[in-house]
Amino acid sequence: MDKSKNGTLVLSKAPTGVKGFDEITGGGLPSGRPTLIFGGPGCGKTLFSLQFIAHGALHEGENGVVISFEESPEELMINAGSIGLDLQTLIDQKKIAVDFIKFDPHELNEAGTYNLEGLFLRLEAVIAEVNAKRVAIDTLESLFTIFSRRDIIRAEISRLFRWLKERNLTTIVTGEVGPNTSSNSTRYGLEEYISDCVIYLDNRVENQITTRRLRIVKYRGSSHGTNEYPFLISDLGINVLPVTSIGLDYEVSKERISTGIPDLDEMLGGKGVFRGSTILISGTAGTGKSTIGAYFVNAACERKEKALFISFEESPYQIMRNMTSIGLNLKKFVDKGLLKIVAFRPTMFGLEMHLINIMHLIQQENPSVVVLDPINSFLTDVREHDVKLMLMRLTDFIKSKNITGMMLSLTGGGEHTERTNVAISSIVDTWIILRDIEQSGERNRGLYILKSRGHKHSNQIREFKLSDRGLKLIEVYRGLAGVLTGSARIAQEAKEELEQLEYKQEIERLLNKLENRRRTLENQIEIIKANFDAETKEIELQIEQLKHRQSVLEERKKMIGKMRS
Amino acid sequence: MHTKAENVRLKEKRKWIFELYIAGQSPRSLQAIANLKRICEKNLKKNYDLHVIDVSENPSLARIKQIIALPTIIRVNPEPARKVVGDLSEIDKARLILEI
């Protein structure tokens, strides 16, 4: 027990290293106390125990012992190896010790009373050997099959739990689920002895596909999720898929990368998408989703980055051939080893196996971009919620590796494009919608960005044109009648052009008219002016003549005057 | 299971060897020793060896001999080995298992 900030006692936790489990339990198993993990054969209880022990030794500085009733040390090594744990090294380093309790019930006979002091002595010895803080007993219920005196075994199991608690050992004991599986109890009622933590593992078959689930039945003194959590067992370890997105604290990149379509980059604020973000492209059949995906991986390869294209519908050859028709040569990148195209049948495995396969591929290829085409192929097995969890887990995984992911999603004809993907929309950063626009007896493709976290983006709907010269996003006609595409757009444009021409001609005509008028006027002015000039000359001449006559008259008067005097 | 005739033959020809594993001198341990001795004295006379081994002094023996319940009696000879757990307070059952 630790003291919390406000002085109350809180249960301290022992991390298990089972991804997701430590998050849903707020840190792991109750430290210094026993936990029961039970379930049917092959439910993963042994692997859970081994992961818990190995994680303690590797990462928590807590050595551990495994008391195995069912599997020999060699079998345990192989099992641990299947989830990527190297038990042998830990044993060699004296961090882990294994005691295999081998008992053939047929060779054992009982006469009189006994106790399990031998088991206690062995436990004590093996714990001392590595100074263990963690213990796994797999499966404790074997005692009931080895010995026939239930009264003795019950008393000894109680004593064992007291003994473990006194030594402050964090313990996992495992048990088999009872014959009445719906009762969710162990065959011999082991849960009666465990008051602290009980976990149920289930391996269920639905629609011929198995899914593993984990449920926390009891966790005293600790809040815990009561849901069933799907979990995975793979060579990456055990992964529990919590409902909430785990590990939201991965580093985010400010680097922007191209989508491979300049026009789309332009719409996304001119620089494309953030590296490490997740893009969802959804649309109805034949709207060009795969093409966008192909451009995306093509662009990555052109940047000399590795790309992974996972298809759930078409074969790699089909994809390459189809993309050649729009001028994309993916084959050359495949040959160079930059691009890997992988096809899975969605119904081939269960969800968890798909997730493992995809994670495995990503781990192996370490690409910088991943395309999943299309994600909703998984919805064939109806469990939409599980699909969401899987995609969430996958998204987290991709993001934690700073890989840019593109998920393509097919929307059914009658469905509303924006609603069908609500399930996963919350986990993607950029959501681009492709839709058919039907008009004037034509189907044309439209593209718009519904959301894009962290940068500004265009609010336009663009017309999306595929040709053998590639992909173009054309600015659509936006008028009072709404968005027009295809020939309707062309007709509208032609009409506008005609109108433009008419206006131009009218203006020219008017300008000519004005010019003519001005010329006429100017001519008239010329004439009037000329007349005026002529008149002026005439009048000036008359004035001149009059002045002459006047002066002649003056002369005569002078002469007459001289003669008289 | 051997026949009565075989048992007689075995009793005459070979020396019986028993290992009795206990943990400390607990009443149950002492009870087991006493019970085994009584059975042997009565049926095998002196034709037997009894080794009492205290596992608490050497726990690794419990691991080697695959012992978890105590007391445990192993009939080493005659072969094949027989293993019995308990203080042998059920004497008839003990004799039957150990074929004494």
Side-chain angles (χ1 to χ4, degrees):
Chain A
M1 294 269 178
D2 290 337
K3 286 226 169 147
S4 75
K5 281 174 199 157
N6 56 18
T8 52
L9 285 171
V10 291
L11 202 62
S12 60
K13 307 279 174 80
T16 59
V18 173
K19 288 179 204 96
F21 179 81
D22 294 345
E23 275 100 18
I24 56 177
T25 52
L29 298 177
S31 184
R33 322 226 107 213
T35 292
L36 170 67
I37 297 182
F38 74 106
C43 69
K45 52 191 187 296
T46 303
L47 290 175
F48 196 108
S49 312
L50 292 176
Q51 178 122 34
F52 161 76
I53 295 292
H55 181 77
L58 282 168
H59 304 290
E60 304 293 331
E62 294 189 350
N63 291 350
V65 300
V66 180
I67 310 294
S68 173
F69 281 92
E70 293 189 331
E71 291 171 274
S72 69
E74 293 71 32
E75 286 170 314
L76 284 178
M77 308 275 179
I78 294 165
N79 272 346
S82 73
I83 56 167
L85 296 175
D86 181 5
L87 273 196
Q88 186 62 58
T89 305
L90 290 169
I91 291 170
D92 294 344
Q93 292 170 343
K94 293 262 169 223
K95 286 182 172 174
I96 285 182
V98 178
D99 190 358
F100 175 40
I101 296 179
K102 188 172 161 236
F103 254 98
D104 183 356
H106 303 293
E107 72 169 28
L108 192 86
N109 295 285
E110 296 166 31
T113 63
Y114 52 89
N115 63 17
L116 297 183
E117 193 56 32
L119 176 65
F120 285 83
L121 288 167
R122 284 172 75 165
L123 250 174
E124 196 162 30
V126 76
I127 287 166
E129 205 178 303
V130 294
N131 190 24
K133 295 275 177 287
R134 296 182 175 205
V135 176
I137 305 176
D138 181 43
T139 81
L140 190 59
E141 281 197 322
S142 299
L143 289 174
F144 287 102
T145 53
I146 296 169
F147 300 103
S148 61
R149 289 280 296 272
R150 297 248 172 114
D151 55 335
I152 292 175
I153 298 308
R154 288 187 181 280
E156 289 297 87
I157 286 177
S158 293
R159 181 159 76 103
L160 176 65
F161 287 132
R162 280 200 306 278
W163 190 92
L164 292 164
K165 279 189 217 170
E166 278 162 19
R167 282 157 186 78
N168 209 26
L169 294 159
T170 311
T171 308
I172 289 182
V173 298
T174 62
E176 290 275 338
V177 73
N180 182 8
T181 47
S182 63
S183 69
N184 282 351
S185 56
T186 57
R187 195 178 288 269
Y188 297 100
L190 269 185
E191 61 275 16
E192 290 163 26
Y193 303 95
I194 309 270
S195 54
D196 297 291
C197 184
V198 176
I199 292 158
Y200 174 60
L201 303 181
D202 183 20
N203 197 9
R204 214 180 295 164
V205 181
E206 272 171 9
N207 304 329
Q208 287 128 27
I209 287 166
T210 59
T211 314
R212 298 174 187 280
R213 284 164 210 264
L214 175 149
R215 185 161 58 87
I216 300 164
V217 180
K218 177 155 79 175
Y219 199 142
R220 188 192 267 182
S222 180
S223 58
H224 62 82
T226 50
N227 303 329
E228 280 192 316
Y229 301 96
F231 72 98
L232 317 167
I233 297 174
S234 73
D235 56 356
L236 306 172
I238 302 175
N239 278 283
V240 179
L241 316 172
V243 175
T244 53
S245 187
I246 69 147
L248 280 172
D249 51 352
Y250 24 70
E251 266 185 51
V252 291
S253 174
K254 282 202 165 141
E255 191 194 338
R256 301 274 280 267
I257 58 167
S258 169
T259 57
I261 304 161
D263 293 339
L264 184 57
D265 292 343
E266 189 61 44
M267 289 177 79
L268 288 160
K271 292 177 220 156
V273 292
F274 283 115
R275 186 181 288 285
S277 66
T278 310
I279 307 139
L280 172 66
I281 314 269
S282 64
T284 44
T287 43
K289 297 179 297 296
S290 300
T291 310
I292 293 185
Y295 269 96
F296 188 57
V297 293
N298 189 64
C301 292
E302 276 174 355
R303 290 192 301 268
K304 303 261 185 298
E305 292 173 16
K306 286 192 84 175
L308 181 61
F309 193 107
I310 301 171
S311 170
F312 300 103
E313 278 185 346
E314 295 175 297
S315 74
Y317 296 102
Q318 224 175 331
I319 292 166
M320 284 191 274
R321 185 202 61 202
N322 292 351
M323 293 310 147
T324 317
S325 71
I326 52 156
L328 276 186
N329 183 0
L330 295 180
K331 194 175 180 297
K332 76 173 182 231
F333 293 126
V334 172
D335 293 343
K336 273 187 196 165
L338 278 170
L339 174 63
K340 186 156 180 111
I341 305 177
V342 184
F344 292 122
R345 273 261 160 249
T347 48
M348 200 156 60
F349 316 109
L351 268 186
E352 61 163 20
M353 274 308 290
H354 271 298
L355 191 48
I356 294 163
N357 281 330
I358 294 168
M359 283 179 159
H360 194 99
L361 255 173
I362 291 169
Q363 196 96 338
Q364 200 181 307
E365 297 295 320
N366 198 23
S368 85
V369 306
V370 172
V371 174
L372 297 171
D373 178 27
I375 47 166
N376 50 304
S377 300
F378 294 113
L379 289 172
T380 48
D381 59 8
V382 214
R383 297 170 301 154
E384 192 168 344
H385 182 68
D386 291 353
V387 173
K388 183 186 176 179
L389 289 181
M390 187 196 101
L391 292 172
M392 211 178 232
R393 190 81 193 96
L394 185 60
T395 309
D396 283 334
F397 178 75
I398 289 173
K399 283 192 171 180
S400 68
K401 295 192 154 303
N402 203 26
I403 295 168
T404 318
M406 184 181 272
M407 299 194 272
L408 310 178
S409 169
L410 175 73
T411 335
E415 294 165 297
H416 190 273
T417 335
E418 291 179 20
R419 201 186 48 220
T420 34
N421 293 296
V422 156
I424 48 162
S425 68
S426 60
I427 58 177
V428 301
D429 300 298
T430 301
W431 186 3
I432 295 167
I433 290 186
L434 296 173
R435 58 192 284 192
D436 284 322
I437 300 169
E438 283 185 43
Q439 220 165 36
S440 320
E442 278 180 17
R443 278 167 84 103
N444 293 294
R445 300 175 175 110
L447 176 150
Y448 62 98
I449 300 164
L450 193 73
K451 78 162 181 185
S452 194
R453 286 180 186 146
H455 48 79
K456 63 177 176 7
H457 54 87
S458 165
N459 60 354
Q460 289 177 17
I461 297 179
R462 297 282 189 99
E463 189 181 344
F464 176 98
K465 266 191 102 82
L466 279 172
S467 71
D468 52 2
R469 279 177 315 237
L471 202 156
K472 286 295 269 178
L473 294 175
I474 301 157
E475 294 220 23
V476 291
Y477 173 80
R478 300 182 307 280
L480 289 173
V483 166
L484 294 180
T485 57
S487 61
R489 170 177 52 78
I490 292 164
Q492 183 65 33
E493 280 170 4
K495 197 176 147 201
E496 257 189 19
E497 231 166 86
L498 192 72
E499 279 173 0
Q500 280 278 350
L501 195 71
E502 280 171 358
Y503 290 141
K504 204 176 156 195
Q505 287 169 343
E506 177 70 10
I507 289 165
E508 264 172 33
R509 197 178 59 79
L510 284 172
L511 279 172
N512 283 342
K513 196 176 161 191
L514 190 66
E515 185 66 23
N516 287 343
R517 278 292 299 270
R518 190 171 58 234
R519 250 181 239 153
T520 320
L521 190 70
E522 277 172 359
N523 282 346
Q524 283 173 339
I525 291 170
E526 275 313 293
I527 293 162
I528 292 169
K529 209 180 160 192
N531 286 344
F532 177 70
D533 282 350
E535 252 171 76
T536 309
K537 276 181 183 155
E538 184 97 345
I539 290 167
E540 276 174 357
L541 195 67
Q542 281 177 358
I543 291 171
E544 209 57 39
Q545 284 172 347
L546 285 174
K547 274 184 178 170
H548 183 70
R549 279 187 201 166
Q550 204 177 11
S551 69
V552 171
L553 207 63
E554 286 287 323
E555 288 289 324
R556 276 190 196 158
K557 260 187 185 172
K558 272 178 191 173
M559 278 173 71
I560 291 169
K562 274 178 189 173
M563 279 179 328
R564 279 187 188 167
S565 58
Chain B
M1 195 62 85
H2 297 271
T3 62
K4 220 167 184 180
E6 276 175 322
N7 282 339
V8 172
R9 184 172 53 82
L10 286 166
K11 279 175 205 171
E12 284 170 355
K13 280 190 175 174
R14 309 170 103 166
K15 193 159 196 175
W16 293 62
I17 301 168
F18 297 101
E19 288 173 355
L20 174 55
Y21 294 86
I22 54 163
Q25 301 291 313
S26 70
R28 192 180 279 130
S29 304
L30 299 174
Q31 181 76 49
I33 297 169
N35 284 338
L36 183 59
K37 275 187 173 166
R38 193 144 35 112
I39 299 165
C40 292
E41 288 296 332
K42 194 177 170 192
N43 300 289
L44 305 169
K45 310 297 177 211
K46 295 283 177 203
N47 192 29
Y48 75 96
D49 282 336
L50 172 58
H51 308 284
V52 178
I53 299 148
D54 189 344
V55 186
S56 62
E57 286 168 8
N58 190 0
S60 65
L61 267 179
R63 202 166 169 177
I64 295 160
K65 295 285 178 177
Q66 281 297 359
I67 289 165
I68 54 171
L70 293 173
T72 291
I73 296 98
I74 300 174
R75 188 194 74 186
V76 182
N77 218 12
E79 287 182 343
R82 292 277 150 146
K83 212 174 194 176
V84 191
V85 300
D87 60 4
L88 307 185
S89 54
E90 295 167 275
I91 287 177
D92 292 341
K93 202 176 168 189
R95 280 190 59 195
L96 205 65
I97 299 159
L98 293 168
E99 296 162 332
I100 302 174

